[in-house]
Amino acid sequence: MTPGFENLDLPVRPRRRDRRVVVTGMGVISPIGNTLEEYWRGLLTGKSGIARVTFCDPSDYPTKIAGEVKDFDPTLYLNPKEARRLARFTQFAVAATRMALAHAQLDPAKLKQDRAGVLLGNGNGGFPTVEEGVRALVSKGGRRTSPFFMPMILPNMAASQVSISFGLKGYNSTIVTACAAGTQATGDAVEVIRRGACDVMVAGGTEAGMTEIGLAGFCAMRAMSTRNDEPARASRPFDALRDGFVASEGAAVLVLESLEHAVNRGARVLAEMSGYGVSSDAYHAVQPSPDGASAALAMQRAIADAGIQPTDIDYINAHGTSTPLNDAVETAAIKSVFGEHAYRVPVSSTKSMIGHALGAAGALEAVACVKMIEEGVLHPTTNYENPDPACDLDYVPGKARPKKLRHVLKNSFGFGGQNACLVISKYD
């Protein structure tokens, strides 16, 4: 036996798909609050996190608004020296994980470390650090580059640092599928537990890509809203006057456990991760396929994986970006999956309040789904004021709505046509 590996817990475990996976803890950093409680209260009341950009001077750009995280202090979660060596997206991930583990009442020091892992979604890595590095290179020369520059910018460093900070030595990976990353990372973490590779997974997404070059790039694509005079009303999914998405940032982490592990430690189970589906449009770099067929396929696969029928879905948390094409295509895809039932299933978009957090979006929305199941209430789609004939479903406009939920569907559709969906269920 290799020296130093004598005490590893390495029993032979068969591949299993019948292992139930549950959520036991959640943590959030968001434009409407940096705790789970603030985030949830903001969603229920329709609070907007959208305001004028502060990360650069946006005067020269047609879009001047974003959903920035406010009042975030990394030293509440990391020692100051360590915090200085980590990019903002990594700081967010560690903060959300620390809160999620506390919420789960799970002490990582008491886990079998090789049976606990990390799987996070991310889109841009340390994008602001890249911009800062290039500016320093041009103004001061390359010899002034920080020795921490390279590890700070890599997309996998959030998952890596979470592993380091909490001693999680099991399966560790990063999903980089743009807007679908947070959802796909969560679904892949479910599969890791199902197949018996880990008992506990820290999963979700993190994004902090606010930069001038990012603003310039999205403006050049004409993908973002220019409703600058009314920031709180700019993100308006499914509304006839929607004119683009609003970029944002944040992180959300869910503690996932095998049901057996959760029950054995007496954990409070918040919800069950019952279904997961993935597909690809194979169509275009940034536009969804107009027929919505692959988006529908991801929904169908998630529902089938949960062992239920479309008519069992009580609510859909939409990708709902507020772009003219996405919202119409998603609506059509929902209709193709659900038929007449589509008109009886409420649909809402979390992005109407927090904007589009790219790689973190799906995880932030999955947290919202768990809270809606727990509390028996749907958060609204804000700013839905003008009906669009192409978007004619029940989008829960304006205010929260009581609703008992058993199964909810979470949709995420990313650049590159990468689609991921989850079914999250009430735990029995």
Side-chain angles (χ1 to χ4, degrees), residues 59-70:
S59 300
D60 291 339
Y61 301 101
T63 294
K64 309 179 195 307
I65 55 176
E68 296 177 72
V69 168
K70 298 122 183 125

Side-chain angles (χ1 to χ4, degrees), residues 230-271:
E230 300 177 298
R233 301 181 66 212
S235 184
R236 44 198 318 111
F238 306 106
D239 185 83
L241 300 184
R242 65 191 184 277
D243 68 333
F245 77 91
V246 178
S248 68
E249 61 179 352
V253 164
L254 300 93
V255 176
L256 307 181
E257 302 183 52
S258 70
L259 178 59
E260 180 183 16
H261 187 275
V263 169
N264 285 345
R265 73 176 187 89
R268 180 170 62 100
V269 173
L270 309 178

Side-chain angles (χ1 to χ4, degrees), residues 11-31:
V12 176
R13 286 179 169 86
R15 291 175 63 86
R16 292 176 56 187
R17 290 193 56 81
D18 60 342
R19 297 184 94 208
R20 295 173 68 184
V21 180
V22 296
V23 183
T24 57
M26 301 186 293
V28 170
I29 299 291
S30 84

Side-chain angles (χ1 to χ4, degrees), residues 98-139:
R98 193 171 297 282
M99 288 186 280
L101 290 169
H103 187 221
Q105 298 184 319
L106 185 59
D107 182 353
K110 296 180 180 179
L111 291 171
K112 291 182 179 180
Q113 292 181 322
D114 60 308
R115 299 286 300 162
V118 185
L119 223 167
L120 296 178
N122 176 247
N124 291 312
F127 207 34
T129 305
V130 173
E131 184 173 85
E132 291 167 10
V134 172
R135 292 184 188 279
L137 175 69
V138 172
S139 63

Side-chain angles (χ1 to χ4, degrees), residues 148-393:
F148 301 105
F149 175 77
M150 288 308 300
M152 286 176 76
I153 69 172
L154 298 174
N156 69 301
M157 281 298 141
S160 172
Q161 187 61 44
V162 168
S163 172
I164 292 167
S165 294
F166 302 101
L168 308 178
K169 298 182 179 180
Y171 188 98
N172 188 300
S173 190
T174 301
I175 301 296
V176 187
T177 49
C179 322
T183 296
Q184 191 163 353
T186 304
D188 282 3
V190 170
E191 294 295 333
V192 170
I193 296 173
R194 279 179 169 179
R195 72 173 184 251
C198 281
D199 301 314
V200 177
M201 290 292 294
V202 168
T206 183
E207 197 77 83
M210 297 293 190
T211 62
E212 186 171 355
I213 188 62
L215 178 64
F218 279 128
C219 284
M221 289 173 61
R222 300 181 181 178
M224 294 197 295
S225 173
T226 57
R227 194 183 286 260
N228 300 307
D229 296 335
E230 300 177 298
R233 301 181 66 212
S235 184
R236 44 198 318 111
F238 306 106
D239 185 83
L241 300 184
R242 65 191 184 277
D243 68 333
F245 77 91
V246 178
S248 68
E249 61 179 352
V253 164
L254 300 93
V255 176
L256 307 181
E257 302 183 52
S258 70
L259 178 59
E260 180 183 16
H261 187 275
V263 169
N264 285 345
R265 73 176 187 89
R268 180 170 62 100
V269 173
L270 309 178
E272 181 170 0
M273 288 291 179
S274 55
Y276 174 46
V278 175
S279 70
S280 178
D281 286 1
Y283 173 74
H284 192 275
V286 295
Q287 294 181 4
S289 178
D291 62 10
S294 291
L297 180 60
M299 293 185 227
Q300 290 167 333
R301 285 175 170 166
I303 292 167
D305 188 48
I308 60 176
Q309 299 297 319
T311 50
D312 294 317
I313 295 293
D314 300 309
Y315 162 76
I316 301 170
N317 185 271
H319 187 51
T321 60
S322 186
T323 59
L325 187 57
N326 173 85
D327 294 358
V329 169
E330 183 171 13
T331 297
I334 290 170
K335 291 178 184 177
S336 74
V337 173
F338 291 89
E340 285 301 312
H341 186 59
Y343 292 95
R344 295 188 289 272
V345 182
V347 180
S348 66
S349 172
T350 310
K351 293 181 182 72
S352 63
M353 292 167 276
I354 66 171
H356 192 347
L358 305 177
L364 284 161
E365 291 154 5
V367 167
C369 289
V370 172
K371 288 300 295 182
M372 285 186 272
I373 291 170
E374 274 194 291
E375 304 294 337
V377 60
L378 305 179
H379 78 57
T381 300
T382 60
N383 303 319
Y384 181 78
E385 299 164 338
N386 306 282
D388 180 347
C391 301
D392 59 348
L393 302 179

